Amino acid sequence: MSHFTHSVSSSVLFVMLWSVLMIGASSVARAVSVTVGLDKPGAAVSPTLHGVFFEDINFGADGGLYPQRIKNGSFEFTPDPTMGWQKTPENRAGGTLSILDDQPLNQNNPHYLRFTVLDGGDGFGIYNEGFHGIGVKQGAKYTFSVYARAVSRQPMTLQITLLDGDKPIGSGELSGFTGDWKQYSCVIESSATVEKARLLLAGKSPASVDLDMVSMLPQDTWGNRPNGLRPDLVQLLKDLKPKFMRFPGGCIVEGRFLSTRYQWKTTIGDVSQRKMIVNRWNTEFEHRPAPDYFQSFGLGFFEYFQLCEDLGAKPLPILNCGMACQFNSGELAPMDQMDQYNQDALDLVEFANGSPDSTWGRKRAEMGHPAPFNLDRIGVGNEQWGPQYMERYAPFAKAIRQRYPDIKLIAAAGPSPEGKDFDFAWKQLRNMPVDFIDEHYYADPSWFPANVHRYDNYDRNGPKVFAGEFAAQSIAVASPKNRNNWQSALSEAAFMTGLERNSNVVAMASYAPLFGHVDGWQWTPNLIWFDNLRSYGTPNYYVQKLFSTQIGTTILPVQIADDAKKLFGCATRDDQSGDVILKLVNMQSAAVPVEISLAGLASTGALSGEEFVLSSDDLKAENSLDQPMKIAPVETAVNGLGPQFTRNLAPYSLTVMRIHR
Ligand code: AHR
């Protein structure tokens, strides 16, 4: 035996011995004791704790949840009203396209296209590129519609062709146009599934027609409603069982200027009458410009209320209070012009809840919903701060309280979860009529576990907290490099144990933003990502889902004897079923054995339950369109539970145990 062979053998022996010792050591590693105080039930869990935040950012509305396939169908985009449209090549046929505004369809949409075919050839026309392409599915039907008015004596036959590149995959035809504006429609069935198709409108013989409000909507919508919403995205929301839905944002409430603030009254009624405006995310980030980002309001306040009803979520509208975004112009409505803002809020309550005999209640009934939407809360301003906000909040709140004393009011605490403006807001607002204060946290992942005790000592007798926007930013706030990775989700999970434990003061919480189009985003991270055909929930989504769907009605205290301070937990009891729901977050790279005691458990027999584990040993791991469930909860049935039992928490994991009693 050579020296070399000998030395290798002894190394192998050493490694084996070391491994045996280590395995032995970990198998006898002392379990961390976790005590759930069944005998010390606390306050009631807020019945509205987990909800969703919707804003039309990242093409979340048009081209997203609102599945309109035609971009700029109204020819109102600025500065170029033909944005999204492209003329057929000259060698194919001849004709002219002009944007006019005399005798328009209506004053809210003054521009339209005069479409004139001079030399039909192979068809003169105009292509629409859709929102990052037009997504179509094989066999699916789409309602194409357009307002048209004949201009020439010669009749026009408008051919509508769905194209995959240059290959036709569906078509329709419209004719019989008269000298008055009228809506025409046909159904196009797609023979192929294509993520980025385009649509051609063409004529083959000389004629001229005016066109406006070109639209192509899928027939497959949530609830099969005409003008309905994209079903896969609504399903993802429904699966969260959100208790409220914040809408329409976000900075979009404020606008860059007051003229482009969100005004709910322009978002209801006939879609062709809704007044389009530029989206404030159009120019917000130089590094993610979106010159083609406008708001058609096809998803307006009626559709929003209807969606809330479908989701079983309370509507939570946030309204402009006479302030444009303070990160932008910071334009202020003069105090003597605040009445219109206050009145808009009062009218919204009437639109949502008023009798069909009332002015605004009638409009709701005419849109097909005579029953009230049961609006019971309103947010005044988005991320406002400073004395100008307090000055405007006060009369706004007073006007609502006087007319609708039961409507709960939400006030803003500014964009930051601490600091001078934040402290000022809380101090001032305490003395005003306010039910919830809206706190936002966009912060480094480390901020979240470090702030798990944030609410332990909040005053239980003051206004409640609405954690209205939060998300861990893996790189920096609003950095385009932020990722929805497991580290961000796990840190949010740790923090959320503090929200649940304190849900007698934190009444509502919502991750933000909700949606991002993979080709059209301005902001990241987002809870749900999608392209024109597919969508997926991020690891952050599954954290929200577990917290929202696995929750009881009474808070139970949890004690964790963890010296490393890397284990976080909370528990609740479901008063109806008696189930105990325990959530444990392990932020360590190693598995952690825990010895769980259910203090005060009456029965000593074996109990069963379910365990949901969300974990990955790679903190950088993410879900994607191709791997949508890479990080998703794994559910298993568990047995043999009792007053004391042990579990092994996976490395970097959120474990939710539902224990039946
Ligand atoms: O969620 C994205 C933006 O972040 C919201 O519009 C705004 O309220 C916050 O600053």
Side-chain angles (χ1 to χ4, degrees), residues 470-481:
F470 68 89
Q473 313 284 299
S474 67
I475 303 291
V477 181
S479 164
K481 295 193 176 134

Side-chain angles (χ1 to χ4, degrees), residues 246 253-254 318-324 326 330-333 335 338 342 378-397 409-415 421-422 424-426 428-429 432-438:
R246 177 182 177 137
V253 169
E254 306 157 75
I318 304 285
L319 301 181
N320 188 296
C321 63
M323 301 179 79
Q326 289 165 277
E331 189 185 351
L332 296 170
M335 287 309 294
M338 279 301 295
N342 306 346
I378 275 185
V380 183
N382 175 42
E383 260 176 1
Q384 289 8 111
W385 68 83
Q388 293 97 338
Y389 175 55
M390 300 307 154
E391 204 185 357
R392 281 161 184 76
Y393 178 85
F396 201 107
L409 292 167
I410 300 158
D421 291 329
F422 178 87
F424 174 77
W426 263 96
Q428 297 287 312
L429 289 166
M432 296 200 200
V434 58
D435 299 288
F436 307 101
I437 295 190
D438 180 12

Side-chain angles (χ1 to χ4, degrees), residues 53 55 57 246 249-254 280-281 327 382-383 415 440 442 469 477 512-514 523 525-526:
F53 159 101
E55 174 165 19
I57 184 173
R246 177 182 177 137
C251 294
I252 219 160
V253 169
E254 306 157 75
R280 61 94 62 200
W281 297 102
F327 288 116
N382 175 42
E383 260 176 1
H440 293 184
Y442 293 100
E469 296 184 27
V477 181
L514 187 56
W523 179 288
N526 301 294

